[in-house]
Amino acid sequence: MTVIFTIVHIFGLVTIGFSGLMATCLLTSEIAKDGAATAFLESTLITLLLGVLMFYPTLRSPKKISRQAGFLLVAVTWSMISVFCTLPLLLYMPELSFTDAYFEVVSGLTTTGSTVLSGLDNLPMSINLWRHELTWIGGMGIIVFAVAILPILGIGGMQLFVAESPGTVKESDLPPRIAQTAKALWQTYALITFACIIALRLAGTSWFDAVCHAFAAMSLGGFSTHDNSVGFFDSLAVEIVLTVFQLLAAMNFATHFVALRRQSLKPYFKDIEVRFMLVLILGSSVFAAVVLWHAGTYPDFFTALRHATFNLVTIATDCGFASQDFNQWPIFVPMWMLFLSSISVSSGSTGGGIRMIRTIVLMKQARLELFKFIHPYAIKSMKIGDTVIKNEIVTSVTGFIFLYFISIVILVFLLLLSGMDFLSAFTAIVASFNNAGPGLNEVGPATNYASLSDFQTSVCILAMLLGRVQIFSIVILFVPEFWKK
């Protein structure tokens, strides 16, 4: 019972925080007179009341919780807070089903960027701001999950960053307390977001578009205020700005913090994930441009390079913007983009997928096994940078990747069972699981997820949630031993 009270207390605090976000949209709606004020007023009051009713009666509950309760807290927070966040959408658009509203909100909070809404250009300013606030808070939530929730589950905040960023971030580089670490990383996140807003405004967007697209870029959320996404601007300057900041958002924010504190670029050069990511993504962009140019998709190499780079970067970093309908490109390119979305982003970033550090560990483990075949009696340990990787970490990575792939297989088969064609089903699940946004065919960049049935939408929601909380936090709830004392 104590555990339940503690979870309710923390969840109540989170709910109160989201009522404050709704209040900012209420203020925007009043200023813009966009017609959504009533929806946000009612949503704010309902959410605040429920949050207070959960928070204050449990104020004296113990604040330390067990590992089991920590996993429950993660599942409850990510899945249930989305229910409250649907209120503005449901109240303003009563024709919208709860399943679709829940999909839209989960897509925002998990920084996926898929949408079921059309006519985005004509939506009230406050509704569009709400969608983008969800992505930005979702991005910050990933950082909180990394430095505040995972320690409860048995992985210390400092140890997490040291383990996932070998040779780059040391314990002495970060503040000594979890709360201080979270604050430092949030400040870094906010500072880079502000820089992105200014850069977009200088590139020619309106202030509102600059704020919304900066929120989406830094959270790698991919939402836009326009149906044509970034293609609406048809601006090379806007695409360059968003490309740069998407790459920054795909890097470890602990590395950003250290670089800013030292006022040096050296931490980026020392970060093995950054090096691998940039070589892989930028090299793939050039190769994709060659493929598109050779196929005659674009008349010259520069145009092919422009569109290939932006759209590949946005999918590879799990953001999900689009400037072109890449569903019409030679199939190799968009499929390679989706593959990159599985492995490219760094740990400690706002992206999803397997993460680059796990990819590197798996590659090095495969290389080590080949070495042992040739030299069966040799003793050799795995190293990343100067850090020796323990067998426990390799085992954990192997288990994670198995769950990652088997989850995708099961969810794809569920969509196939519902009657969806293979390419749409496969790309919808991969894009949702990696929190990357658009897929191909029925869910391509020129369309959205509105055509899916409630069952198909629900499967994609599950994929987004599993991908965002890194599978273990959800799957472990179904292990019988979890519920034993």
Side-chain angles (χ1 to χ4, degrees):
M1 188 61 69
T2 301
V3 169
I4 294 175
F5 283 158
T6 304
I7 292 175
V8 170
H9 176 78
I10 296 174
F11 185 68
L13 180 61
V14 173
T15 304
I16 292 172
F18 273 89
S19 70
L21 287 178
M22 292 178 186
T24 64
C25 292
L26 171 61
L27 181 61
T28 302
S29 183
E30 280 293 331
I31 294 173
K33 301 297 181 184
D34 61 17
T38 301
F40 277 104
L41 177 61
E42 293 176 358
S43 301
T44 301
L45 293 176
I46 293 171
T47 306
L48 179 61
L49 176 61
L50 292 173
V52 168
L53 290 176
M54 288 185 284
F55 178 76
Y56 282 102
T58 57
L59 195 57
R60 296 187 178 183
S61 61
K63 300 304 182 290
K64 291 185 179 180
I65 57 178
S66 63
R67 288 167 57 86
Q68 288 89 339
F71 283 110
L72 280 172
L73 178 62
V74 170
V76 167
T77 301
W78 283 101
S79 58
M80 292 304 298
I81 197 63
S82 300
V83 175
F84 295 96
C85 293
T86 61
L87 287 174
L89 299 179
L90 292 173
L91 291 172
Y92 181 75
M93 295 178 280
E95 72 280 2
L96 194 67
S97 70
F98 174 77
T99 303
D100 283 347
Y102 191 72
F103 176 93
E104 190 76 13
V105 167
V106 169
S107 179
L109 284 173
T110 59
T111 71
T112 302
S114 308
T115 184
V116 295
L117 301 180
S118 56
L120 299 177
D121 304 73
N122 300 317
L123 278 181
M125 183 182 293
S126 54
I127 294 291
N128 264 323
L129 180 61
W130 176 239
R131 295 170 64 243
H132 287 83
E133 279 187 345
L134 290 178
T135 66
W136 197 69
I137 293 299
M140 287 207 299
I142 306 311
I143 300 173
V144 175
F145 178 68
V147 301
I149 301 300
L150 287 183
I152 297 174
L153 309 184
I155 304 175
M158 302 309 125
Q159 291 79 2
L160 176 74
F161 284 115
V162 171
E164 292 195 336
S165 308
T168 303
V169 180
K170 306 300 182 184
E171 289 193 31
S172 59
D173 292 327
L174 292 170
R177 297 179 182 273
I178 296 299
Q180 292 175 343
T181 300
K183 182 180 178 181
L185 295 175
W186 280 20
Q187 288 173 342
T188 303
Y189 182 69
L191 179 62
I192 301 176
T193 302
F194 179 74
C196 186
I197 292 172
I198 299 301
L200 284 172
R201 182 70 181 97
L202 292 174
T205 69
S206 67
W207 278 113
F208 182 70
D209 278 341
V211 169
C212 289
H213 287 83
F215 280 7
M218 288 312 302
S219 64
L220 297 176
F223 274 162
S224 178
T225 54
H226 306 286
D227 285 328
N228 289 334
S229 190
V230 177
F232 169 86
F233 303 106
D234 191 21
S235 167
L236 177 60
V238 170
E239 291 168 19
I240 290 174
V241 169
L242 288 175
T243 297
V244 170
F245 281 94
Q246 285 173 111
L247 289 172
L248 289 175
M251 298 176 188
N252 193 324
F253 274 84
T255 302
H256 290 316
F257 171 77
V258 174
L260 288 171
R261 195 180 73 167
R262 295 180 181 177
Q263 297 183 354
S264 170
L265 295 177
K266 288 184 179 179
Y268 296 110
F269 293 108
K270 292 181 179 179
D271 191 330
I272 190 171
E273 287 186 286
V274 170
R275 299 201 303 270
F276 269 71
M277 181 188 75
L278 291 180
V279 169
L280 180 61
I281 291 180
L282 298 181
S284 294
S285 297
V286 174
F287 183 69
V290 172
V291 173
L292 294 177
W293 182 39
H294 184 265
T297 306
Y298 296 102
D300 58 83
F301 179 74
F302 176 78
T303 304
L305 182 63
R306 169 188 170 181
H307 296 308
T309 299
F310 178 78
N311 290 278
L312 186 143
V313 167
T314 195
I315 298 300
T317 59
D318 300 320
C319 186
F321 288 133
S323 66
Q324 299 282 295
D325 183 9
F326 51 76
N327 194 44
Q328 304 301 319
W329 290 357
I331 190 65
F332 169 83
V333 177
M335 289 299 289
W336 182 253
M337 289 159 55
L338 284 171
F339 167 70
L340 292 179
S341 75
S342 301
I343 64 172
S344 296
V345 302
S346 300
S347 56
S349 72
T350 55
I354 293 173
R355 308 295 179 93
M356 180 57 74
I357 192 64
R358 292 192 181 102
T359 306
I360 295 171
V361 168
L362 203 63
M363 289 170 55
K364 286 185 173 289
Q365 178 63 17
R367 177 69 180 85
L368 185 60
E369 291 300 323
L370 291 174
F371 177 83
K372 289 180 178 179
F373 277 125
I374 301 172
H375 305 283
Y377 300 106
I379 299 176
K380 186 178 182 180
S381 56
M382 183 196 303
K383 283 188 175 183
I384 296 181
D386 298 326
T387 304
V388 176
I389 304 301
K390 298 179 180 179
N391 289 332
E392 292 82 3
I393 294 178
V394 177
T395 303
S396 175
V397 168
T398 305
F400 174 88
I401 292 177
F402 170 77
L403 286 176
Y404 173 87
F405 282 111
I406 199 65
S407 298
I408 287 178
V409 168
I410 292 171
L411 294 173
V412 168
F413 272 106
L414 286 176
L415 288 187
L416 293 175
L417 184 65
S418 72
M420 186 179 287
D421 69 276
F422 175 76
L423 188 58
S424 297
F426 177 73
T427 58
I429 293 302
V430 171
S432 297
F433 213 97
N434 294 333
N435 309 123
L440 298 175
N441 272 15
E442 190 177 347
V443 293
T447 57
N448 60 27
Y449 286 68
S451 62
L452 274 58
S453 67
D454 282 351
F455 174 78
Q456 293 167 341
T457 301
S458 299
V459 172
C460 290
I461 290 171
L462 178 59
M464 289 189 285
L465 289 171
L466 284 172
R468 185 71 288 171
V469 299
Q470 298 286 281
I471 310 175
F472 281 131
S473 300
I474 298 293
V475 173
I476 199 170
L477 301 179
F478 299 94
V479 176
E481 289 79 8
F482 173 82
W483 300 100
K484 296 179 181 179
K485 292 185 178 180

